[in-house]
């Protein structure tokens, strides 16, 4: 028996890179002030997965998929706790686990980017924000993340059992690169593989630099819902309604709610907001054309659910609702400290006091600006 160099530094660092990114992204997703970093790490995770797949075809021996051991997977598990063959590189279980984790990694990353577009209106798929019913990418993202986490934990458990129960040095080799083998084997990068690594590091550096650019197409918020509005009507709406409060995006509420609100502008929450007849008709037409029923956003779906709840409870005015009554509003704020809304600078109905881009109707989690 002899010590052989099985895994190069590229393999070991790549392995650590993916573990670190997935772990941090998973943690950061639970904190709104770290959500932009969650998205940032998600893009880098996708690039790392893509490189590992590419390396699986052009990398060093024992890194390539063709060098994996796929045969005997059933026998491997049936006789797991008995005396087993010691594999130079990946055993049948880890071979299939790696393929599955790479597939799930792609699914996690792509579903996350798609969810970012449909839920937050950001990134390359921002236009999906107005095609919300196409698919629930957020649920797919969560499901694929949990699947990847489960497979990863089983993979880690297998590695620990291999080390402490079967007394193999596979886990050590992932750290040091060296493994005890029957015959001397040395794995080194050839000229092409070195070039691939240099190019990858250069492109990765450029990508990281680009992602810090606020209007990058992968994570930036270049999408403006106002582009859908008729310009003159929108300017009038901003001038008249935005003179006292921020201009609420009309697709936040249904038509009945806007019509009810426009009925009594003489006493609009204690203020006379009456308009001359021409402006009134133009703004009402604007609200009719751009209310929630005409845009396929998450607000439309939530409004239907909320109105059904109100209707089932046999309350009056079941076709009208305020923004703070909507399920999307309640769910988004349910975990906040009630004392937050006791501050003078923060009011439930004044979204812009916390969401600096509230007039866009997108309410990005990472663009919160809660004032003291």
């Amino acid at each position: 028996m002899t010590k052989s160099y099985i895994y190069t530094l590229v393999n070991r660092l790549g392995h650590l890179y993916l573990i670190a990114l997935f772990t941090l992204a998973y943690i950061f997703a639970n904190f709104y002030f770290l959500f932009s970093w969650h998205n940032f790490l998600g893009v880098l995770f996708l690039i790392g997965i893509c490189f590992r797949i590419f390396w699986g075809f052009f990398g060093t021996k024992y890194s390539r998929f063709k060098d994996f051991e796929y045969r005997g997977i059933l026998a491997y598990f049936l006789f797991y706790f008995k005396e087993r063959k010691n594999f130079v590189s990946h055993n049948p279980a880890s071979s299939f686990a790696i393929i599955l984790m790479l597939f799930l990694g792609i699914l996690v990353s792509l579903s996350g980017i798609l969810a970012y577009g449909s839920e937050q209106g950001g990134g390359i798929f921002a236009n999906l924000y107005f095609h919300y019913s196409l698919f629930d990418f957020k649920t797919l993202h969560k499901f694929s993340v949990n699947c990847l986490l489960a497979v990863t934990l089983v993979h880690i458990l297998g590695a620990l059992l291999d080390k402490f129960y079967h007394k193999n040095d596979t886990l050590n080799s992932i750290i040091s690169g060296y493994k005890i083998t029957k015959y001397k084997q040395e794995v080194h990068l050839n000229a092409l593989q070195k070039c691939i690594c240099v190019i990858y590091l250069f492109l990765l550096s450029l990508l990281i630099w680009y992602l810090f650019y606020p209007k990058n197409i992968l994570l930036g918020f270049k999408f403006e819902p106002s582009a859908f509005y008729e310009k003159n009507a929108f300017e009038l709406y901003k001038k008249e309604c935005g003179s006292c409060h921020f201009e609420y995006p009309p697709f936040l509420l249904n038509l009945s709610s806007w019509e009810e609100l426009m009925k009594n502008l003489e006493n609009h929450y204690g203020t006379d907001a009456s308009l001359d007849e021409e402006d009134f008709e133009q703004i009402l037409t604007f609200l009719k054309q751009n209310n929630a029923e005409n845009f396929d956003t998450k607000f439309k779906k939530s409004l239907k659910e909320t109105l059904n709840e109100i209707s089932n409870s046999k309350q009056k005015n079941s076709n009208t609702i305020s923004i703070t009554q909507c399920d999307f509003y309640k769910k988004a704020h349910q975990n906040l400290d009630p004392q937050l809304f006791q501050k003078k600078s923060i009011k439930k109905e004044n979204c812009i006091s916390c969401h600096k881009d509230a007039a866009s109707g997108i309410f990005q989690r990472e663009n919160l600006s809660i004032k003291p």
Side-chain angles (χ1 to χ4, degrees):
M1 303 296 285
T2 184
K3 181 183 283 189
S4 298
Y5 190 58
I6 299 299
Y7 297 119
T8 64
L9 185 62
V10 174
N11 296 81
R12 290 164 10 237
L13 288 180
H15 193 257
L16 181 62
Y17 172 90
L18 291 175
I19 292 173
L21 289 180
F22 180 74
T23 302
L24 290 174
Y26 189 90
I27 295 171
F28 289 178
N30 298 296
F31 302 94
Y32 73 84
F33 57 90
L34 293 174
F35 195 69
S36 59
W37 286 102
H38 167 80
N39 298 325
F40 175 79
L41 295 174
V43 174
L44 297 185
F45 180 73
L46 173 61
I47 300 303
I49 289 289
C50 290
F51 176 77
R52 181 60 188 90
I53 293 173
F54 185 82
W55 198 246
F57 293 101
F58 301 99
T60 55
K61 186 174 175 61
Y62 303 123
S63 302
R64 297 190 294 263
F65 300 133
K66 69 177 184 178
D67 296 321
F68 286 14
E69 184 62 64
Y70 302 104
R71 296 169 297 178
I73 183 68
L74 183 59
Y76 179 85
F77 283 114
L78 287 176
F79 303 102
Y80 188 83
F81 292 101
K82 297 182 180 180
E83 186 176 351
R84 298 184 347 203
K85 174 184 176 183
N86 187 21
F87 296 88
V88 174
S89 182
H90 302 291
N91 59 52
S94 63
S95 296
F96 280 103
I98 290 171
I99 299 298
L100 181 56
M101 286 189 289
L102 290 174
F103 169 77
L104 289 172
I106 291 291
L107 186 61
V108 164
S109 302
L110 292 181
S111 62
I113 294 172
L114 288 164
Y116 188 53
S118 63
E119 292 282 338
Q120 300 284 312
I124 195 169
F125 295 111
N127 286 344
L128 287 177
Y129 192 75
F130 283 101
H131 300 279
Y132 192 74
S133 65
L134 286 176
F135 196 82
D136 188 353
F137 295 108
K138 184 178 180 179
T139 298
L140 175 62
H141 183 59
K142 289 183 176 180
F143 175 76
S144 57
V145 165
N146 289 328
C147 286
L148 179 56
L149 178 62
V151 175
T152 302
L153 292 176
V154 171
H155 184 58
I156 293 172
L157 177 61
L160 293 174
L161 284 172
D162 187 69
K163 176 177 175 59
F164 295 106
Y165 182 80
H166 294 289
K167 309 300 181 183
N168 289 327
D169 61 345
T170 303
L171 187 59
N172 294 341
S173 68
I174 296 172
I175 299 171
S176 67
Y178 289 93
K179 188 173 184 179
I180 302 300
T181 59
K182 189 174 181 180
Y183 303 105
K184 185 71 173 179
Q185 301 187 54
E186 292 293 328
V187 174
H188 298 287
L189 299 176
N190 60 34
L192 175 61
Q193 291 161 350
K194 289 178 181 178
C195 288
I196 290 173
C197 292
V198 170
I199 293 172
Y200 169 70
L201 290 175
F202 174 71
L203 293 177
L204 181 63
S205 300
L206 284 181
L207 175 65
I208 292 173
W209 175 80
Y210 177 67
L211 289 177
F212 280 104
Y213 173 58
K215 294 185 179 181
N216 70 80
I217 63 171
L218 293 174
L219 297 178
F221 298 102
K222 64 183 185 308
F223 183 62
E224 290 294 337
S226 58
F228 285 89
Y229 305 148
E230 197 280 318
K231 185 177 180 180
N232 291 335
F234 180 50
E235 291 301 322
L236 177 63
Y237 176 67
K238 285 202 300 181
K239 175 185 175 182
E240 296 295 341
C241 301
S243 61
C244 296
H245 53 74
F246 89 97
E247 57 275 15
Y248 290 91
F251 55 81
L252 292 182
L253 288 177
N254 61 335
L255 178 57
S256 299
S257 299
W258 283 123
E259 288 179 330
E260 186 67 25
L261 186 144
M262 294 288 287
K263 279 181 182 179
N264 189 22
L265 291 179
E266 293 79 6
N267 184 22
H268 185 65
Y269 298 100
T271 302
D272 184 2
S274 55
L275 300 165
D276 61 52
E277 185 175 350
E278 183 179 352
D279 288 347
F280 177 86
E281 290 298 329
Q282 192 170 353
I283 290 176
L284 182 60
T285 300
F286 169 76
L287 295 173
K288 286 181 178 180
Q289 292 174 341
N290 299 286
N291 72 88
E293 296 163 30
N294 294 338
F295 287 95
D296 201 6
T297 66
K298 60 182 177 181
F299 306 111
K300 177 181 179 180
K301 179 182 178 181
S302 180
L303 279 167
K304 287 182 178 180
E305 294 171 353
T306 307
L307 292 172
N308 286 336
E309 291 174 7
I310 294 175
S311 179
N312 293 335
S313 65
K314 298 182 180 179
Q315 295 183 27
K316 294 181 180 179
N317 299 323
S318 61
N319 289 323
T320 61
I321 191 173
S322 66
I323 291 174
T324 54
Q325 286 180 285
C326 296
D327 280 347
F328 70 78
Y329 180 93
K330 293 177 180 178
K331 290 177 181 177
H333 299 83
Q334 61 185 355
N335 295 323
L336 293 180
D337 184 353
Q339 295 298 317
L340 183 67
F341 295 105
Q342 301 302 317
K343 297 180 180 180
K344 291 183 179 180
S345 60
I346 298 177
K347 300 296 181 183
K348 283 188 175 182
E349 66 279 1
N350 187 26
C351 309
I352 203 167
S353 60
C354 293
H355 301 272
K356 61 183 181 181
D357 294 325
S360 70
I362 294 177
F363 306 102
Q364 300 94 345
R365 287 175 62 183
E366 57 267 53
N367 280 357
L368 284 172
S369 56
I370 298 176
K371 301 175 183 178

